């Protein structure tokens, strides 16, 4: 927009803008005191002058001004991202008329991250995980911000799954793992690694995973990773699962026919494991004792009675499978 103080005796005015470096001339005419010239070339400098036309004579321009059109948009935009961080590197080809540049990453909610430079590359850091961004660059001069470059769409690495929860069915050995996740993902990979080095992998697009056949008497490390088609997230914090104790394969019940006391002993005791001995007669009456070391004694059994004896292991409330059953007969009453 060009404006001026009207000259005496002038009927209308001619405004011209001539580019300095290229052949480009634009003009407008008016009988007022301002005029708009459109379609200037980006990044070019123009000489702007105003002349008048009277009834019979021309009034030549007495002065001129230099103006710079807005910088041209940067071209050949390139965006490099890394699965290991939420930083991106943006580069472009220098544009006509730009003194400095700004690269912008904008997410789907309209939030923006940016970097400024006088060069043709800069790094935008601190982007949020698991989100899609449109990335572009613009050029600046002393007065104007130029048009945007073409846009590139990028997606940051998936967010690390959080709040991992393990729910173990001790008897069946089935582990149900759940977690929470934000942002974009395509699937999750759950890794379950036993203290013996055995690995189970479960892949799903849900927020849970079921891992069967957990072996008794082992400690498992559970981690979850989020994945998309290009990147994996970092592993979640490790959660540990301790499975139910293994059943005793052998044990020895010894009947004292004089006292009626049955002593039950075993060899493979494990720290922290409680073994509960159960003796059930034909009528379903139950007698029991517990031990954490290598045995315990049943002292209230009925004389002259047959009992089925089993041992059940447990640790921290996780109850394992019963041992094989053995039959004993208590001594007769004297």
């Amino acid at each position: 927009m060009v404006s001026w103080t009207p000259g005496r005796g002038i009927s209308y005015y001619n405004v011209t803008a001539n580019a300095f470096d290229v052949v480009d001339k634009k003009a407008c005419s008016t009988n007022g005191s301002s005029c708009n010239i459109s379609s200037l070339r980006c990044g070019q400098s123009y000489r702007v002058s105003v002349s008048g036309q009277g009834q019979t004579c021309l009034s030549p321009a007495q002065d001129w001004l230099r103006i710079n059109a807005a910088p041209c948009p940067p071209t050949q935009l390139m965006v490099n991202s890394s699965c290991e961080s939420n930083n991106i590197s943006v580069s472009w080809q220098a544009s006509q008329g730009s003194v400095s540049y700004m690269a912008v990453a904008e997410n789907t909610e309209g939030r923006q991250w940016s970097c400024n430079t006088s060069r043709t590359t800069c790094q935008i850091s601190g982007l949020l995980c698991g989100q899609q961004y449109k990335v572009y660059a613009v050029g600046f001069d002393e007065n104007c911000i130029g048009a945007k470059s073409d846009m590139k769409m990028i997606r940051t690495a998936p967010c690390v799954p959080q709040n991992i929860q393990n729910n173990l069915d001790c008897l069946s050995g089935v582990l149900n793992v759940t977690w929470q996740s934000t942002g974009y993902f395509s699937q999750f990979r759950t890794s379950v690694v036993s203290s013996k080095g055995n690995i189970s992998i479960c892949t799903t697009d849900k927020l849970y995973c079921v891992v069967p056949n957990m072996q008794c008497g082992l400690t498992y490390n559970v981690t979850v990773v989020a994945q998309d088609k290009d990147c994996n997230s970092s592993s979640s914090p490790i959660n540990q699962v301790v499975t139910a104790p293994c059943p005793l394969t052998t044990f020895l019940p010894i009947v004292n026919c004089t006292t009626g006391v049955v002593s039950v002993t075993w060899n493979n005791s494990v720290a922290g494991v409680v073994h509960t001995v159960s003796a059930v007669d034909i009528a379903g009456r139950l007698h029991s004792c517990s031990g954490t070391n290598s045995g315990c004694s049943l002292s209230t059994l009925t004389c002259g009675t047959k009992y089925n004896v089993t041992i059940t292991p447990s640790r921290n409330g996780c109850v394992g499978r019963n041992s094989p059953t053995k039959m004993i007969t208590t001594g007769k009453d004297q």
Side-chain angles (χ1 to χ4, degrees):
M1 179 180 178
V2 186
S3 61
W4 55 88
T5 300
R8 183 177 300 174
I10 297 178
S11 301
Y12 66 92
Y13 300 88
N14 294 313
V15 182
T16 59
N18 286 285
F20 283 96
D21 299 327
V22 295
V23 178
D24 187 43
K25 180 179 180 179
K26 298 293 190 297
C28 64
S29 297
T30 180
N31 58 4
S33 59
S34 66
C35 190
N36 291 334
I37 296 179
S38 59
S39 302
L40 299 181
R41 293 190 186 183
C42 65
Q44 295 295 327
S45 293
Y46 287 83
R47 173 179 174 148
V48 180
S49 60
V50 182
S51 62
Q53 175 66 55
Q55 292 294 329
T56 57
C57 297
L58 294 174
S59 175
Q62 290 188 352
D63 200 358
W64 59 273
L65 293 176
R66 183 186 187 114
I67 63 101
N68 296 321
C72 294
T75 57
Q76 300 181 32
L77 184 75
M78 295 184 64
V79 181
N80 292 317
S81 59
S82 168
C83 294
E84 283 69 42
S85 74
N86 290 324
N87 302 334
I88 60 172
S89 179
V90 187
S91 61
W92 54 88
Q93 188 71 33
S95 62
Q96 181 76 26
S98 294
V99 176
S100 61
Y101 300 90
M102 178 173 67
V104 179
E106 182 177 325
N107 68 5
T108 54
E109 296 175 350
R111 184 178 174 186
Q112 293 183 340
W113 290 254
S114 63
C115 59
N116 293 277
T117 181
S118 59
R119 301 180 179 180
T120 57
T121 182
C122 67
Q123 185 177 80
I124 302 177
S125 59
L127 300 181
L128 302 179
C129 60
Q131 294 201 14
Q132 182 171 276
Y133 296 83
K134 56 183 180 182
V135 181
Y136 59 88
V138 294
F140 292 84
D141 64 11
E142 293 81 358
N143 301 307
C144 290
I145 301 175
K148 298 176 181 178
S149 68
D150 291 337
M151 291 189 183
K152 298 281 188 181
M153 304 300 295
I154 62 105
R155 186 175 279 131
T156 49
C159 299
V160 178
Q162 300 293 325
N163 195 25
I164 312 301
Q165 300 290 326
N166 301 312
N167 183 12
L168 175 68
D169 188 308
C170 293
L171 280 179
S172 66
V174 174
L175 175 66
N176 187 31
V177 186
T178 62
W179 56 86
Q180 294 176 344
S181 183
T182 57
Y184 177 84
F185 58 86
S186 57
Q187 64 180 20
F188 299 92
R189 187 183 74 245
T190 302
S191 299
V192 182
V193 183
S194 77
S195 49
K196 289 185 176 181
N198 298 323
I199 302 176
S200 297
I201 301 294
C202 175
T203 302
T204 178
D205 59 357
K206 310 297 183 183
L207 295 176
Y208 65 89
C209 197
V210 178
V211 183
N213 304 321
M214 302 283 283
Q215 296 182 26
C216 63
L218 296 178
T219 299
Y220 287 83
N221 289 334
V222 180
T223 56
V224 184
V225 171
Q227 300 175 314
D228 63 19
K229 65 183 182 66
D230 297 315
C231 289
N232 294 344
S233 73
S234 300
S235 293
S236 68
I238 294 175
N239 267 25
Q240 283 197 334
V241 177
V242 179
T243 56
C246 294
L248 293 172
T249 56
T250 60
F251 63 92
L252 181 63
I254 301 174
V255 181
N256 187 322
C257 295
T258 301
T259 63
V261 174
V262 177
S263 297
V264 183
T265 61
W266 53 86
N267 292 324
N268 52 339
S269 62
V270 178
V273 175
V274 177
H275 291 94
T276 300
V277 179
S278 300
V280 182
D281 64 18
I282 193 171
R285 290 185 291 268
L286 171 66
H287 302 265
S288 64
C289 67
S290 297
T292 58
N293 295 318
S294 58
C296 69
S297 297
L298 298 165
S299 58
T300 58
L301 302 184
T302 304
C303 61
T305 305
K306 292 182 178 180
Y307 288 88
N308 288 324
V309 179
T310 58
I311 301 180
T312 304
S314 64
R315 177 169 47 200
N316 297 328
C318 188
V319 180
R321 295 181 180 180
N322 293 336
S323 67
T325 300
K326 288 189 178 183
M327 180 176 285
I328 63 168
T329 303
T330 56
K332 295 182 179 181
D333 194 7
Q334 300 296 320

